């Protein structure tokens, strides 16, 4: 250790690196403040752009919702697969510092291209699509490439003995992520909707502001350059790892029963590769094996932005909670919860924290299941392919009976001017179908022939004229809260409700759907009656869902507690358990668990075909099972001492007993690089 300190001082004198001054007499380097601010601005940039991305696809590029959703998730997945490339560049070629700078420039260019693509006067729709896709690809490589480097680079700034400060840094780092997310998801939608430019919503500004924040992030990061500890790249370490593993497998396969036994299968590569590299690979593989069950946590966690948001839209309010709770929970857990657990003499190791975080996430989905069961009692789900929805209004003077050919739907008489029966699923057997319907009033039969299209919702309005019953089929927008009027008078009317205007044509004309501030009212439909004065009569089309959004609070509290214990702990664990030359690679491995978690969601959502509450319950059960497997794996895991490699592989001279191994190390590293400072892994270690 003394030799290491002397060597660090020597590097400092040569100007190759510098020691960062401390913050206000603490053990926190000043350099981390630049990293935290950089992360805040970068996350503002990323989440701000994503907050309006789907609306941009639908309203600006005029894509259908299915294509918009597919592209959105493809982009999100790419952002979590590209960290592998960033880690490879950082550890093998440029080092973390230069990788962050260069890929941040790519990031900024992507934002600029994306913003230009949102200017209507720049080319036609094809140009807009091309610019948008190029911009998103550049952003994905930028944000994904720097993602594993920034956290690891922040951890590099701490001295080895300040492990507690480094652990708290990852909590602060995580708070900066959520702080940027909260502000951006509030501000950029306002910039899009409240600011008008080019004759419509200002998507160019909504994308331009995140671009400016990314420029600020880059400038802030570069400003701290003179204070950073900058570890040099280690050479093509990932290639070395693959070659070493391949040789070990090859030698093990070719070995005979007469060959000496090895403690570990990687030891079969000792004839060519240094023992230190083999030991480092063992360390990484132990952690990567632990990562195998982890995508299931992210499969649950990331549904906050899809399934849980959809659940909220079917309730009677909506608000963002997770990111706000993170800002509250992180300091509470660090300063209250964990110290109290320590006072109880409970050894809550990082892996135990992660297992508890999984349990919290499973409980969150159990809570979401209960909410979903109550929400679906009154919510009308869209019709699947091959089906449509039908509801009937009886505006005739007496009750009617409706018989649909080939079905037994609407078996009860439909009351005059009363709330209509619930929506019924009509089987079409294809894209569309013409159906014969028989309407009976006062024992008189009337025929009604209508054509229906799959996945649409219809309202069949029945009313009387001089010759009998008239059928009028109207398409219904399946939205959460909307109002419309039916005018039975012979003159058209205009109606104003608050700030919303309705035009209602004459002779059973129906107004378009318009949303009116809901407050605590139900979804209402109003009808005008003749003769004489205008009379308002309401009919409740879709039963109001009175499940308050507050019932989602328990699931958000539980999932956020799980995130604090799982995600923040996992981020720091990935750093602390990695060899110095593989920290970015292991960070990338951690981020890949997020990408595969999203893949699990897509597989289950598309392949299971379950009701939403059953899907929630399935995910909760799967995570409990995975948590048990992870806990068993964690029980057998041995934590790595930060000084373990130096103790196992101390500095040696040519006169030491293990001269052969030293020569092998020297030959191996001289083959990998022309730089004389990498003569062997031991010397390389002391130079970091």
């Amino acid at each position: 250790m003394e030799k290491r300190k002397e060597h660090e001082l020597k590097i400092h004198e040569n100007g190759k690196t510098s020691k960062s001054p401390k913050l206000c007499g603490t053990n926190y380097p000043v350099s981390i403040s630049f990293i935290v601010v950089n992360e805040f601005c970068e996350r503002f940039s990323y989440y701000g752009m994503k907050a309006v991305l789907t609306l941009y696809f639908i309203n600006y590029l005029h894509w259908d919702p299915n294509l918009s959703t597919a592209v959105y998730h493809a982009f999100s997945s790419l952002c979590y697969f590209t960290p592998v490339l960033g880690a490879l560049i950082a550890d093998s070629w440029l080092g973390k510092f230069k990788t962050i700078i260069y890929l941040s420039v790519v990031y900024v260019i992507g934002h600029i291209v994306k913003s230009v693509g949102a200017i209507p006067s720049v080319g036609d729709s094809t140009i807009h699509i091309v610019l948008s896709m190029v911009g998103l690809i550049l952003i994905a490589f930028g944000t994904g490439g720097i993602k594993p480097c920034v956290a690891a680079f922040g951890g590099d700034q701490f001295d080895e003995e300040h492990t507690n400060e480094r652990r708290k840094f990852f909590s602060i780092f995580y708070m900066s992520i959520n702080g940027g997310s909260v502000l951006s998801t509030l501000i950029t939608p306002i910039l899009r909707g409240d600011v008008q430019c080019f004759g419509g919503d200002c998507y160019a500004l909504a994308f331009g502001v995140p671009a400016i924040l990314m420029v600020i992030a880059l400038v802030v990061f570069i400003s701290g350059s003179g204070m950073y500890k900058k570890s040099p790249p280690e050479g093509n370490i990932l290639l070395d790892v693959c070659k070493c593993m391949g040789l070990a497998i090859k030698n093990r396969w070719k070995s005979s029963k007469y060959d000496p036994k090895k403690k570990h299968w990687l030891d079969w590569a000792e004839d060519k590769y240094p023992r230190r590299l083999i030991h480092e690979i063992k360390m990484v593989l132990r952690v990567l094996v632990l990562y195998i069950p982890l995508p299931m946590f992210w499969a649950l966690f990331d549904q906050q932005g899809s399934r849980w948001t959809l659940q909220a839209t079917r309730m009677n309010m909506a608000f963002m909670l997770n990111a706000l709770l993170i800002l509250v929970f992180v300091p509470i857990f660090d300063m209250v919860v964990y110290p109290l657990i320590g006072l109880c003499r409970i050894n809550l190791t990082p892996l135990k924290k992660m297992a508890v975080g999984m349990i919290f996430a499973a409980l969150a989905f159990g809570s979401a299941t209960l909410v979903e069961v109550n929400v679906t009692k009154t919510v009308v789900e869209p019709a699947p392919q091959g089906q449509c929805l039908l509801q009937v209004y009886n505006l005739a003077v007496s009750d009617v009976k409706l018989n649909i050919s080939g079905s037994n739907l609407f078996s009860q008489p439909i009351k005059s001017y009363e709330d209509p029966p619930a929506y019924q699923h009509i089987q079409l057997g294809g894209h569309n179908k013409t159906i014969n319907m028989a309407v009976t009033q006062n024992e008189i039969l009337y025929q009604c022939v209508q054509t229906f299209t799959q996945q649409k919702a219809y309202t069949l309005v029945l009313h009387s004229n001089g010759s009998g019953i008239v059928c009028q089929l109207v398409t219904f927008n399946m939205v959460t809260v909307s109002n419309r009027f039916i005018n039975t008078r012979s003159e058209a009317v205009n109606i104003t409700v608050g700030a919303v205007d309705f035009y209602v044509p004459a002779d059973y004309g129906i107004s378009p759907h318009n949303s009116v501030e809901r407050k605590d009212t139900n979804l209402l439909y109003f009808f005008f009656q003749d003769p004489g004065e205008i009379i308002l009569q309401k009919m409740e089309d879709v039963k109001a869902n009175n499940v308050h959004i507050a019932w989602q609070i328990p699931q958000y509290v539980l999932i956020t507690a799980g995130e604090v214990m799982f995600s923040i702990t996992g981020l720091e664990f990935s750093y602390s358990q990695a060899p110095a030359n593989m920290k970015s690679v292991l960070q990338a491995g951690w981020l890949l668990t997020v990408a595969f978690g999203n893949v699990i969601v897509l597989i289950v959502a598309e392949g299971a075909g379950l009701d939403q509450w059953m899907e929630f319950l399935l995910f909760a059960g799967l995570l409990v099972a995975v948590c048990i497997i992870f806990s068993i794996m964690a029980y057998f895991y041995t934590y790595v001492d930060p000084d373990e490699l130096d103790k196992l592989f101390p500095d040696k001279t040519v006169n030491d007993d293990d001269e052969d191994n030293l020569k092998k190390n020297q030959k191996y590293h001289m083959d990998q690089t022309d730089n004389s400072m990498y003569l062997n892994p031991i010397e390389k270690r002391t130079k970091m």
Side-chain angles (χ1 to χ4, degrees):
M1 186 61 69
E2 290 299 322
K3 290 182 179 180
R4 179 179 178 84
K5 291 181 179 179
E6 291 174 4
H7 191 76
E8 286 180 347
L9 290 175
K10 184 177 180 181
I11 292 177
H12 176 64
E13 291 169 0
N14 291 337
K16 294 182 181 178
T17 188
S18 59
K19 281 207 166 188
S20 174
K22 306 299 181 183
L23 281 169
C24 302
T26 67
N27 291 323
Y28 292 92
V30 173
S31 57
I32 66 168
S33 60
F34 294 93
I35 297 171
V36 169
V37 173
N38 165 269
E39 184 67 12
F40 173 87
C41 294
E42 188 273 327
R43 290 291 87 186
F44 185 109
S45 170
Y46 176 75
Y47 286 111
M49 181 272 301
K50 285 188 69 177
V52 297
L53 190 57
T54 301
L55 291 176
Y56 172 78
F57 290 154
I58 295 173
N59 299 329
Y60 186 84
L61 298 182
H62 304 295
W63 289 352
D64 63 71
N66 291 334
L67 177 60
S68 301
T69 301
V71 175
Y72 178 88
H73 285 291
F75 166 71
S76 299
S77 298
L78 184 60
C79 290
Y80 282 97
F81 279 113
T82 51
V84 175
L85 179 62
L88 183 62
I89 293 173
D91 285 344
S92 305
W93 180 25
L94 296 176
K96 301 183 190 73
F97 177 74
K98 290 183 178 179
T99 300
I100 294 170
I101 291 179
Y102 294 160
L103 290 182
S104 292
V105 172
V106 173
Y107 201 161
V108 170
I109 294 173
H111 270 302
I112 294 173
V113 172
K114 187 78 180 64
S115 302
V116 172
I119 300 175
S121 58
V122 178
D124 56 13
S125 59
T126 302
I127 296 297
H128 296 159
I129 293 173
V130 170
L131 290 176
S132 298
M133 294 303 100
V134 171
L136 287 177
I137 291 172
L138 292 175
I139 290 171
F141 277 93
T143 186
I146 69 173
K147 197 179 290 288
C149 302
V150 177
F153 188 68
D156 289 347
Q157 306 308 306
F158 291 85
D159 298 329
E160 289 187 2
E161 61 269 22
H162 298 147
T163 55
N164 189 50
E165 287 82 0
R166 186 182 64 201
R167 182 186 64 80
K168 291 182 178 179
F169 158 74
F170 284 105
S171 295
I172 297 171
F173 184 82
Y174 208 81
M175 287 182 67
S176 71
I177 293 174
N178 286 273
S181 171
V182 168
L183 286 180
S184 63
T185 50
L186 290 175
I187 292 174
T188 51
I190 295 175
L191 295 176
R192 176 198 65 84
D194 293 358
V195 179
Q196 297 293 302
C197 63
F198 306 108
D201 289 346
C202 202
Y203 287 102
L205 180 62
F207 292 140
V209 170
I212 294 172
L213 264 294
M214 192 57 221
V215 172
I216 295 174
L218 179 58
V219 171
V220 169
F221 184 77
I222 294 175
S223 299
S225 175
M227 301 181 184
Y228 298 139
K229 290 182 180 178
K230 303 170 188 174
S231 302
E234 306 293 335
N236 198 340
I237 188 66
L238 189 60
L239 181 61
D240 295 345
V241 169
C242 294
K243 287 182 177 180
C244 181
M245 293 172 62
L247 179 64
I249 294 172
K250 177 182 177 182
N251 289 345
R252 176 67 182 87
W253 182 262
K254 290 183 176 181
S255 65
S256 66
K257 62 181 181 179
Y258 302 107
D259 291 325
K261 300 297 181 182
K262 304 287 185 181
K263 291 183 178 180
H264 192 280
W265 64 272
L266 277 171
D267 293 337
W268 287 96
E270 283 185 337
D271 60 332
K272 181 177 179 181
Y273 292 91
R275 287 186 299 159
R276 178 164 186 146
L277 176 66
I278 293 173
H279 189 78
E280 289 172 339
I281 297 173
K282 292 177 183 177
M283 292 168 59
V284 171
L285 288 181
R286 285 201 302 267
V287 178
L288 290 178
V289 169
L290 277 178
Y291 283 176
I292 293 174
L294 302 190
M296 185 54 66
F297 174 88
W298 297 113
L300 275 70
F301 179 81
D302 282 349
Q303 290 186 58
Q304 292 179 82
S306 54
R307 301 300 195 190
W308 285 16
T309 300
L310 178 61
Q311 185 185 73
T313 62
R314 294 175 292 161
M315 301 167 76
N316 66 358
M317 282 183 66
F319 56 83
M320 179 176 56
L321 202 55
N322 173 254
L324 293 174
L325 285 174
I326 277 290
L327 300 178
V328 176
F329 275 26
V330 169
I332 289 177
F333 271 75
D334 275 347
M335 295 186 290
V336 179
V337 176
Y338 292 150
L340 285 177
I341 293 175
L343 289 176
C344 296
R345 297 184 178 181
I346 298 175
N347 183 22
L348 194 62
T349 62
L351 294 180
K352 289 180 181 177
K353 289 181 184 178
M354 294 171 69
V356 173
M358 289 182 175
I359 296 298
F360 276 133
L363 291 173
F365 266 67
S367 177
T369 301
L370 297 176
V371 173
E372 185 67 21
V373 168
N374 286 279
V375 167
T376 54
K377 288 180 179 178
T378 56
V379 170
V380 179
E381 298 291 347
Q385 288 187 348
Q387 299 181 28
C388 69
L389 296 176
L390 179 64
Q391 190 173 53
V392 181
Y393 292 164
N394 179 12
L395 305 185
V397 294
S398 61
D399 298 352
V400 299
K401 291 183 179 179
L402 178 67
N403 181 269
I404 298 178
S405 176
S407 75
N408 58 356
L409 303 175
F410 302 105
S411 57
Q412 299 299 318
I414 302 171
K415 302 293 184 179
S416 175
Y417 282 98
E418 289 191 3
D419 291 344
Y423 275 93
Q424 300 293 325
H425 286 257
I426 307 296
Q427 298 292 337
L428 303 180
H431 184 267
N432 51 49
K433 183 179 182 181
T434 300
I435 298 177
N436 293 320
M437 295 175 285
V439 182
T440 305
Q441 182 190 40
N442 299 327
E443 305 302 326
I444 301 175
L445 183 65
Y446 302 93
Q447 293 297 325
C448 180
V449 180
Q450 300 290 343
T451 300
F452 299 89
T453 302
Q454 67 177 359
Q455 295 183 300
K456 287 191 175 183
Y458 294 95
T459 298
L460 181 65
V461 181
L462 304 176
H463 60 87
S464 304
N465 63 11
S467 59
I469 295 294
V470 177
C471 298
Q472 183 178 347
L473 193 64
V474 181
T475 304
F476 175 47
N477 249 338
M478 295 300 294
V479 294
T480 305
V481 181
S482 67
N483 298 268
R484 59 180 171 174
F485 296 86
I486 299 179
N487 181 14
T488 67
R489 297 170 59 86
S490 58
E491 302 91 9
V493 294
N494 291 289
I495 301 174
T496 301
V497 182
V500 181
D501 295 324
F502 294 84
Y503 171 74
V504 194
D507 299 322
Y508 293 92
I510 303 177
S511 71
H513 287 269
N514 269 314
S515 295
V516 176
E517 185 180 358
R518 177 172 183 165
K519 295 184 179 178
D520 294 326
T521 63
N522 295 331
L523 180 58
L524 302 178
Y525 289 81
F526 296 84
F527 303 85
F528 295 91
Q529 292 181 299
D530 272 329
E533 64 178 342
I534 294 177
I535 300 173
L536 297 180
Q537 182 169 336
K538 70 178 181 180
M539 295 176 71
E540 191 172 30
D541 179 271
V542 178
K543 298 293 183 183
N545 194 323
N546 290 321
V547 180
H548 197 277
I549 194 71
W551 286 106
Q552 276 197 323
I553 292 178
Q555 66 198 57
Y556 273 100
V557 169
L558 289 167
I559 198 73
T560 306
E563 180 185 6
V564 171
M565 300 194 74
F566 181 91
S567 184
I568 298 176
T569 305
L571 194 66
E572 194 275 335
F573 174 81
S574 299
Y575 180 89
S576 65
Q577 298 298 290
N581 58 340
M582 300 183 192
K583 291 189 182 296
S584 294
V585 170
L586 204 52
Q587 290 287 324
W590 168 257
L591 294 169
L592 277 178
T593 64
V594 183
F596 285 114
N598 283 280
V599 173
I600 292 174
V601 175
L602 292 175
I603 293 173
V604 173
E606 295 297 327
L610 300 173
D611 291 338
Q612 189 58 71
W613 71 268
M614 296 179 66
E615 189 177 296
F616 282 163
L617 198 60
L618 173 64
F619 275 114
L622 288 174
L623 186 58
V624 170
V626 165
C627 180
I628 294 173
I629 296 172
F630 175 77
S631 299
I632 295 172
M633 296 169 65
Y635 178 80
F636 293 99
Y637 181 80
T638 302
Y639 288 85
V640 176
D641 186 335
D643 296 326
E644 181 180 355
L645 288 176
D646 288 331
K647 293 177 181 178
L648 289 175
F649 304 97
D651 288 339
K652 295 185 178 184
T653 65
V654 178
N655 295 325
D656 284 347
D657 295 335
D658 200 6
E659 181 177 314
D660 291 340
N661 186 61
L662 179 58
K663 289 181 178 179
K664 180 172 58 180
N665 291 338
Q666 291 174 334
K667 180 182 184 301
Y668 166 75
H669 283 279
M670 290 178 70
D671 290 341
Q672 305 300 317
T673 178
D674 293 331
N675 192 336
S676 61
M677 73 177 294
Y678 297 121
L679 283 177
N680 61 70
I682 310 303
E683 184 174 328
K684 177 175 62 178
R685 170 71 175 171
T686 61
K687 291 181 183 291
M688 291 178 57

